[in-house]
Amino acid sequence: MFRTPDGEEIFIIDGHTHFWDGSPENQANIHGKQFIDCFYAYHTALSPKDQLWSKEQFEKYSADKMHHDLFVDGPDDMAIVQSTYLSEFYKNGFNTIERNLDMAKAYPDRYIVNGAFDPRDGEKAIEYIHFMKENYNIKGVKLYTAEWKGDSRGWKLTDPSAYRCLELCQKLGITNVHVHKGPTIIPLDKDAFDVHDVDHAATDFQGLNFIIEHCGLPRLDDFCWIAVQETNVYGGLAVALPFIHSRPRYFAEVISELLFWVGEDKILFGSDYAIWTPRWLVEKFWNFEIPEDIKQEHGVDLTREAKRKILGLNAARLYNVDVEAQKARLKDASLAVAAE
C-alpha cells in the first residue's frame, strides 16, 4: 500500500499490467522483434534514468520480479493483468490468459486476470468467451483492435462479429471491456486504434464498461467528446501518465482535459508494467499539482480525493472489490509472512 508523505494510506489498483514473453526465442518473425523493440523505446524515452532496464530483462521477466516490482518495492495493492495474444508475432503468444493465470496463482488476492478474444475467429471466439467465463470466471477482457490476423490488419468494435462477442460478454457478466485505443506499436496501423467505434458500441451495450486504455492518445479530443456523453466510457492513464516525468506540462494538459470532460470518477490508474514500474509513477502522481494557469483555464483541480479515486477506488468499483476487506486480507497475509 502507498503511504503519502503525511501518513495517509492509499489503496492502489494498477489497472494495466502485463506478464509478457517478448524474448527472441518466442518471436515468430521480424514483427515480434519490432513490437518489443517499440515497447522498449517507450520505456527508455519516458522513464527516469534510474528506472531503466536492460533490453534482455525487459524482453522476458520472472513472476517473482513482477511481484516484487508491483507489491514489494512497488505501491500496488492489486493489479489487473491484461492478456494480449499477438499470435501472428509470437510463437506462444505475447501474454496469454493461461500464462497470466499460472503466474497469478502463486499470489492469491493480488491479481485480477482478464481474458481476450478476437471476433474474427467467428464461432471459435464465442466458444472461447464461454470457456474463459466457465473455467476462469473472468470479469473483463482486453481488446486489441489493431491486431493482425492473416490478411486482416485490424477490426472495429462495430463489426457484426464483434457485436456478437460483446452481446455474449454482457449476457455472461463479463462487464469490463478494456480497449487499446492509443499510440500505435510498430508494425500495427495507427488508424486501427481509432476511437470512433467506441461511441456506437458504448451506446448499444449499456451493461458494459468500456475502459479506453491510453485515453485515445493521440486522439484525446475525440475520446473526451465521446466519454463526456457515454456514461459507461472510462479513461485508462497507461502511457499518458509517464509524461509526468519527461513532459510534466503536457501531462498537466492531458489530465486537465480528462478531469474537465470525463471527470474524476471515470479515470483509472495503470502503470503499463513492464514498460514502466508503478512506484515512481504513483509517487510523482500523488505529489503532482496542475500549474495554476492550466487549472484556471480548465476550472479543475487534481485534489487528494480525485487522486484516491484514480489510483484505486474507481477500479475497485468497476471490479466489485471490497476495499476494506481487501486491506484486511493483505494485512493478514503480510503478518503471516512476517511470522514465518
Side-chain angles (χ1 to χ4, degrees), residues 31 39 43 61 95 113 127 145 184 192 200 218 228 234 279 337-338:
H31 300 314
F39 264 24
H43 168 72
Y61 43 90
N95 64 330
V113 177
E127 294 170 4
T145 57
T184 191
H200 200 142
V228 70
Y234 298 74
R279 180 169 59 83
V337 170

Side-chain angles (χ1 to χ4, degrees), residues 58-267:
F58 185 85
E59 289 172 336
K60 185 178 182 180
Y61 43 90
S62 69
D64 286 345
K65 176 165 180 54
M66 182 168 177
H67 177 264
H68 179 271
D69 289 343
L70 299 186
F71 306 116
V72 181
D73 180 65
D76 294 354
D77 293 291
M78 299 181 70
I80 302 172
V81 188
Q82 307 289 0
S83 301
T84 310
Y85 284 39
L86 298 172
S87 300
E88 296 282 322
F89 302 162
Y90 296 98
K91 299 172 185 175
N92 300 310
F94 191 55
N95 64 330
T96 65
I97 190 172
E98 291 79 13
R99 174 179 170 81
N100 294 332
L101 286 166
D102 188 58
M103 174 275 297
K105 68 184 181 182
Y107 309 101
D109 297 323
R110 287 294 194 180
Y111 291 108
I112 296 170
V113 177
N114 279 345
F117 64 78
D118 189 327
R120 294 168 296 184
D121 289 332
E123 287 301 320
K124 289 184 178 179
I126 297 297
E127 294 170 4
Y128 192 52
I129 294 168
H130 277 292
F131 172 82
M132 290 186 294
K133 184 61 178 179
E134 292 168 6
N135 290 275
Y136 309 138
N137 194 28
I138 60 170
K139 299 178 180 179
V141 289
K142 169 70 181 297
L143 303 181
Y144 230 65
T145 57
E147 186 167 353
W148 290 9
K149 188 174 186 65
D151 294 332
S152 171
R153 291 173 63 155
W155 55 278
K156 295 182 181 299
L157 294 173
T158 49
D159 290 344
S161 58
Y163 260 46
R164 287 192 65 206
C165 293
L166 293 173
E167 287 169 357
L168 180 58
C169 285
Q170 186 168 258
K171 178 181 178 181
L172 296 178
I174 305 170
T175 54
N176 297 309
V177 181
H178 296 251
V179 192
H180 180 114
K181 294 290 189 179
T184 191
I185 306 100
I186 192 171
L188 304 177
D189 300 334
K190 178 174 72 71
D191 289 346
F193 286 132
D194 187 89
V195 299
H196 289 94
D197 54 344
V198 173
D199 192 10
H200 200 142
T203 297
D204 288 348
F205 294 100
Q206 292 292 300
L208 299 178
N209 304 309
F210 291 85
I211 301 94
I212 307 308
E213 299 295 354
H214 323 304
C215 302
L217 291 174
R219 311 163 193 84
L220 182 64
D221 283 351
D222 287 339
F223 166 71
C224 286
W225 282 87
I226 292 169
V228 70
Q229 66 174 347
E230 301 289 355
T231 58
N232 57 339
V233 171
Y234 298 74
L237 283 180
V239 174
L241 185 53
F243 285 101
I244 202 170
H245 168 71
S246 57
R247 293 184 58 193
R249 187 170 179 86
Y250 174 68
F251 175 74
E253 292 168 347
V254 170
I255 195 67
S256 295
E257 292 289 346
L258 292 171
L259 289 168
F260 179 85
W261 293 102
V262 185
E264 63 188 42
D265 294 319
K266 295 204 300 172
I267 306 171

Side-chain angles (χ1 to χ4, degrees), residues 1-2 9-13 75 77-78 308 311-313 316 321-323 326-327 330:
M1 184 172 294
F2 175 67
E9 292 185 341
I10 306 298
F11 187 77
I12 309 288
I13 296 181
D77 293 291
M78 299 181 70
R308 292 187 196 100
L311 287 172
L313 299 183
V321 174
D322 184 325
V323 173
Q326 180 68 4
K327 286 180 180 179
L330 295 176

